[in-house]
Amino acid sequence: MKQSDFLKAVLPFKDKVFRLAKRLLVSTEEAEDATQELYFKLWKNKEKLGEYKNVEAFAMTMTKNYCFDRLKSKQASNLTLVHSNYKEKDTSLEKKIEYKDSVSNVHKLIENLPEQQKIIIQLRDIEQYDFEEICEMVDMKPTAVRVALSRARKTIREELIKQHNYGVS
């Protein structure tokens, strides 16, 4: 496989790999390292990429596994919690702060979900993968993926309602 063929095959989903790594590792620097490591591994095994039905799903699975390995390692204690993914143009400062707080709040709620739900909500609601691709990536049946996604959304919705109604009788 030539370098140009390799790049055509793997570059279209680079941002998705990074966002999944960032969701799992939280730190931008760690996510960048994970993305770089994944692409290095893909390059080393470029001759085998043609054997995979869906290279993107394979790469996302590799990313998930790499991130879990990083989190389990001793270096995981060095990971920092930083979220600043949301940017909006032409909005008042008050609205920007409100949006940032809301997005940050949802990110925190997602972070508190069980790992499986966290990955599935990231892949479906943020990365916009369809259910078949998610099933392949997480090695689960469609029904199980739908149930996990539903539970994750319900948990987030209930927490947001609870926070919104706090102190209201």
Side-chain angles (χ1 to χ4, degrees):
M1 177 179 272
K2 294 182 196 171
Q3 182 179 0
S4 60
D5 295 333
F6 173 78
L7 292 175
K8 284 179 192 171
V10 299
L11 277 184
F13 51 85
K14 182 180 180 198
D15 291 340
K16 290 180 180 180
V17 166
F18 173 77
R19 287 191 301 265
L20 177 61
K22 182 143 177 23
R23 167 68 58 213
L24 295 173
L25 298 174
V26 180
S27 163
T28 300
E29 293 81 15
E30 287 290 329
E32 288 169 351
D33 289 348
T35 304
Q36 184 176 9
E37 184 66 27
L38 172 84
Y39 275 83
F40 177 69
K41 287 179 181 181
L42 287 173
W43 175 251
K44 278 182 17 184
N45 295 308
K46 64 184 177 282
E47 299 306 325
K48 297 178 185 174
L49 289 182
E51 299 172 15
Y52 296 101
K53 195 168 53 175
N54 187 338
V55 176
E56 183 176 342
F58 174 67
M60 296 301 280
T61 301
M62 283 179 62
T63 302
K64 175 191 71 161
N65 292 338
Y66 177 82
C67 292
F68 283 162
D69 290 346
R70 288 286 297 144
L71 290 169
K72 290 176 191 171
S73 75
K74 294 176 187 173
Q75 297 169 340
S77 61
N78 297 332
L79 298 179
T80 58
L81 292 172
V82 179
H83 268 298
S84 58
N85 296 346
Y86 191 81
K87 292 183 180 145
E88 180 70 31
K89 293 186 221 169
D90 303 318
T91 308
S92 72
L93 180 61
E94 186 178 310
K95 282 288 184 195
K96 285 181 182 178
I97 292 169
E98 190 177 314
Y99 289 146
K100 188 170 182 167
D101 285 348
S102 296
V103 170
S104 179
N105 191 17
V106 170
H107 282 301
K108 286 176 189 170
L109 293 173
I110 291 172
E111 290 303 318
N112 292 330
L113 291 171
E115 285 300 318
Q116 187 180 69
Q117 290 179 12
K118 186 188 316 185
I119 291 170
I120 291 171
I121 204 164
Q122 171 75 24
L123 292 173
R124 179 66 182 162
D125 291 345
I126 297 170
E127 303 301 334
Q128 303 290 305
Y129 282 104
D130 63 33
F131 283 101
E132 292 151 11
E133 292 173 312
I134 296 170
C135 293
E136 190 176 322
M137 287 179 213
V138 296
D139 194 29
M140 291 171 59
K141 294 184 190 259
T143 306
V145 169
R146 290 179 192 278
V147 167
L149 180 62
S150 175
R151 288 180 180 161
R153 288 174 175 165
K154 181 179 179 190
T155 300
I156 291 170
R157 182 173 43 255
E158 287 173 351
E159 285 300 315
L160 288 172
I161 289 169
K162 194 184 307 179
Q163 289 172 9
H164 181 73
N165 291 335
Y166 183 79
V168 178
S169 32

